[in-house]
């Protein structure tokens, strides 16, 4: 079997095959600001899971998480996110419900598909209402399918919409749930067909940021409110479609098919704006020159 493929590689390819080539094949560095934000998110994830797995009161867990974050020396101004407040807000609201039963943190679930392996990194698996649920921490969930979404993949592949962010979020959720559902650890005899014994949720840590109403002794000037999106319904409705898309992506990627092809116009409208490679990407540069 060949080397495992990271799910991030597949979702990048889904968004733009050329971007995949630049980033993963040619290993061209991305915008430093994007990399700084990713480092900050990794530190925040570490801190949160340290807090969740720490025993004690909510305040104890917050203290543990914040002291872990302090070791990372993240420059909040550089990444434009109040990381301490994001951690405090999430743990204040969810430390009890997400931290009571923690099955795992910072591990990789591997899905076998068509003779290949897909690695799906997991931030944490916690017990929510007696069900194991994978939690994936992000700063926001702007690019994630909505709670209860059931046809994101077909919308993207149908040709009328180009929504690689939400479609990629479903691919990651389905691949992770499938990997865990087909492993030994969470398999249950009684699970109905098409239902995963493991749930999946994206946590947008800073989804809402607004001025706080000051209270006595409260020095905080902003209120950060996390948002959680569960994609269990997407697994039930789109498992087969998602696995088929993943299989196709691996085939194209293995064939080194990096030309954006007939979806370039869609890519240009939706993906190029946030891409690190606009200054060197010939399809993009040619299109810009043509449309000026
Ligand atoms: S500039 Fe656009 S077409 Fe080029 S790699 Fe980036 S996203 Fe893809």
């Amino acid at each position: 079997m060949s080397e495992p493929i990271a799910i991030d590689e597949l979702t990048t390819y889904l968004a733009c095959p050329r971007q995949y080539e630049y980033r993963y094949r040619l290993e061209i560095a991305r915008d430093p600001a994007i990399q700084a934000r990713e480092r900050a998110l990794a530190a925040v994830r570490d801190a949160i899971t340290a807090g969740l797995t720490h025993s004690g009161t909510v305040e104890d867990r917050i203290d543990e998480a914040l002291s872990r974050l302090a070791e990372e020396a993240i420059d909040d101004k550089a990444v434009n996110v109040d990381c301490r407040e994001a951690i405090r807000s999430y743990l204040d609201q969810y430390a009890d419900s997400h931290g009571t039963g923690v099955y795992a943190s910072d591990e990789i679930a591997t899905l076998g598909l068509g003779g290949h392996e897909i690695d799906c990194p997991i931030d944490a698996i916690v017990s929510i209402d007696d069900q194991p649920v994978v939690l994936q921490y992000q700063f926001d969930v702007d690019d994630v399918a909505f709670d209860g979404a059931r046809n994101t993949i077909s919308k993207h592949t149908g040709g009328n919409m180009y929504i690689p962010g939400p479609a990629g979020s479903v691919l990651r959720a389905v691949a992770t749930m499938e990997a865990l559902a087909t492993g030994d650890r969470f398999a249950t005899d009684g699970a109905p067909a098409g239902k995963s014994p493991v749930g999946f949720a994206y946590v947008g840590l800073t989804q809402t940021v607004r001025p706080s109403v000051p209270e006595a002794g409260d020095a905080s000037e902003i209120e950060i409110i996390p948002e959680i999106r569960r994609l269990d319904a997407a697994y039930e409705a789109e498992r087969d479609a998602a696995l088929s898309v993943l299989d196709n992506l691996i085939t194209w990627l293995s064939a080194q098919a990096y030309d954006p092809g007939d979806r370039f116009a869609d890519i240009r409208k939706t993906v190029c704006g946030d891409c690190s490679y606009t200054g060197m990407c010939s399809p993009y540069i040619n299109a810009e020159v043509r449309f000026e």
Side-chain angles (χ1 to χ4, degrees), residues 51-233:
L52 281 185
T53 51
H54 186 74
S55 55
T57 64
V58 169
E59 276 309 317
D60 290 338
R61 290 168 187 255
I62 292 172
D63 288 347
E64 175 68 19
L66 293 182
S67 71
R68 180 68 69 94
L69 184 75
E71 293 167 16
E72 301 287 339
I74 293 302
D75 180 357
D76 286 29
K77 287 199 179 66
V79 296
N80 215 15
V81 178
D82 189 335
C83 296
R84 288 175 60 83
E85 204 50 40
I87 291 169
R88 190 193 304 281
S89 174
Y90 166 73
L91 288 176
D92 189 45
Q93 211 170 323
Y94 292 104
D96 278 339
S97 54
H98 291 176
T100 306
V102 180
Y103 294 93
S105 61
D106 191 21
E107 67 169 61
I108 293 176
T110 300
L111 172 67
L113 186 70
H116 293 271
E117 289 185 330
I118 301 173
D119 277 350
C120 307
I122 289 174
D123 292 337
I125 307 175
V126 304
S127 176
I128 300 177
D129 297 332
D130 293 327
Q131 185 196 14
V133 177
V134 174
L135 298 180
Q136 175 76 23
Y137 296 106
Q138 305 191 166
F139 284 132
D140 62 60
V141 284
D142 293 346
D143 240 4
V144 168
F146 285 103
D147 236 13
R150 289 180 166 275
N151 56 2
T152 311
I153 298 286
S154 57
K155 278 184 186 162
H156 178 75
T157 56
N160 292 331
M161 298 180 88
Y162 198 76
I163 47 172
S169 74
V170 172
L171 293 184
R172 174 188 291 273
V174 169
T176 307
M177 282 192 271
E178 183 74 5
L180 294 172
T182 51
D184 292 336
R185 189 161 41 146
F186 297 108
T188 53
D189 294 338
K195 255 189 161 327
S196 169
V198 183
F200 190 104
Y202 287 94
V203 182
L205 294 165
T206 60
Q207 190 60 29
T208 303
V209 180
R210 64 187 182 204
S212 66
V213 179
E215 289 175 20
D218 181 5
S220 173
E221 294 172 2
I222 56 163
E223 190 176 10
I224 294 180
I225 302 167
E227 179 177 327
I228 295 182
R229 292 197 186 160
R230 287 284 290 261
L231 293 199
D232 307 30

Side-chain angles (χ1 to χ4, degrees), residues 15-20 22 260 264 267-268 271-273 275-279 281-284:
C16 174
R18 191 65 74 194
Q19 189 179 113
Y20 165 86
Y22 292 149
F264 173 66
I267 291 170
R268 186 163 174 265
V271 189
C272 294
C275 179
S276 296
Y277 305 120
T278 48
C281 174
S282 51
Y284 178 81

